[in-house]
Amino acid sequence: MRHHTRGHGHGTIDGKASRRYDVLARLLKRRFYRRIAADASRSAPEGGALLDIGTGPGVLLMELHRSRPDLALTGVDLSADMVAHAERNLEGHAAVRRADAAELPFEPESFDLVVASLSAHHWDDPAAGAAEIARVLRPGGRLLVYDMGHAPFDTIAAHPGFADVRRGAFRTGLGPLLRCERFEATAVA
Ligand SMILES: C[S@@+](CC[C@H](N)C(=O)[O-])C[C@H]1O[C@@H](n2cnc3c(N)ncnc32)[C@H](O)[C@@H]1O
């Protein structure tokens, strides 16, 4: 399902692959996003600002809007095609823009919570992504990553901007079809 672009952005999913992913995410993986939304909601303060990195077609943001309409939701993705799918799916309930995890177009301390589902293992430069997440989270803000075992959890955890790092299994609701881990960390000042 990967589509390689020239030079920068090898993990981006574009074109036909993005259309297939949009259908898969909306129809088959809905239970997974509901579980993530429920889990992430516990770390989101009332009226808080949440950023979803590598949002793809934005289905997690759709579930978050449904369960936590108080949150200010933002999504980024490296793929312009995925941003278009997300904008269509979200109907204005979240701000979505094209951006690389390694170069987030936001002011420091803009978010209370950053999430990334099944995206971090695609990032070309996870160390730069970790630095950017630490920069855009307010002190005490939380990072939640839901991803497969080969995702760059250790690289992210190594950034000095994070404390209280924990990692463990996450029940996806899809059994053996999708296994994933949950990583959490708190941003320090
Ligand atoms: C497998 S999809 C996951 C999408 C969505 N988060 C989900 O759980 O369904 C991975 C997404 O990460 C995006 N991506 C890859 N590298 C990225 C990067 N460096 N910065 C932002 N997004 C990236 C891809 O374009 C793709 O939409």
Side-chain angles (χ1 to χ4, degrees), residues 11-13 21 29 33 54-56 77-79 82 99-101 117-119 122-123:
T12 191
I13 298 177
Y21 195 91
K29 285 170 39 199
Y33 301 108
T55 193
D77 201 286
L78 194 52
S79 159
M82 283 296 201
D100 191 330
S117 68
L118 304 180
S119 177
H122 287 279
W123 299 351

Side-chain angles (χ1 to χ4, degrees), residues 1-3 8-14 18 21-22 24-26 29 32-33 36 52-60 76-83 97-104 115-126 129 146-148 178:
M1 203 171 273
R2 281 185 174 198
H3 179 97
H8 164 85
H10 294 91
T12 191
I13 298 177
D14 303 301
S18 79
Y21 195 91
D22 176 42
L24 180 77
R26 282 187 291 117
K29 285 170 39 199
F32 172 59
Y33 301 108
I36 297 180
D52 180 19
I53 301 180
T55 193
V59 184
L60 173 57
V76 294
D77 201 286
L78 194 52
S79 159
D81 292 334
M82 283 296 201
V83 169
R97 58 199 285 189
R98 181 166 186 262
D100 191 330
E103 203 174 349
L104 295 172
V115 299
S117 68
L118 304 180
S119 177
H121 70 275
H122 287 279
W123 299 351
D124 281 345
D125 188 347
Y146 306 86
D147 214 321
M148 287 172 273
L178 180 61

Side-chain angles (χ1 to χ4, degrees), residues 47-170:
L50 179 149
L51 172 65
D52 180 19
I53 301 180
T55 193
V59 184
L60 173 57
L61 291 175
M62 290 166 75
E63 288 300 329
L64 281 162
H65 171 69
R66 206 174 56 85
S67 58
R68 287 291 304 274
D70 60 293
L71 298 177
L73 301 172
T74 302
V76 294
D77 201 286
L78 194 52
S79 159
D81 292 334
M82 283 296 201
V83 169
H85 291 302
E87 283 178 331
R88 194 192 56 241
N89 290 334
L90 284 155
E91 301 176 321
H93 296 306
V96 187
R97 58 199 285 189
R98 181 166 186 262
D100 191 330
E103 203 174 349
L104 295 172
F106 306 109
E107 294 295 316
E109 303 183 12
S110 297
F111 297 98
D112 300 290
L113 179 61
V114 171
V115 299
S117 68
L118 304 180
S119 177
H121 70 275
H122 287 279
W123 299 351
D124 281 345
D125 188 347
E132 280 295 84
I133 294 166
R135 182 182 68 78
V136 303
L137 273 174
R138 65 164 172 77
R142 314 270 295 148
L143 166 64
L144 289 169
V145 180
Y146 306 86
D147 214 321
M148 287 172 273
H150 64 282
F153 296 116
D154 292 342
T155 304
I156 297 170
H159 192 276
F162 297 119
D164 300 331
V165 173
R166 282 178 214 157
R167 180 176 164 183
F170 181 73

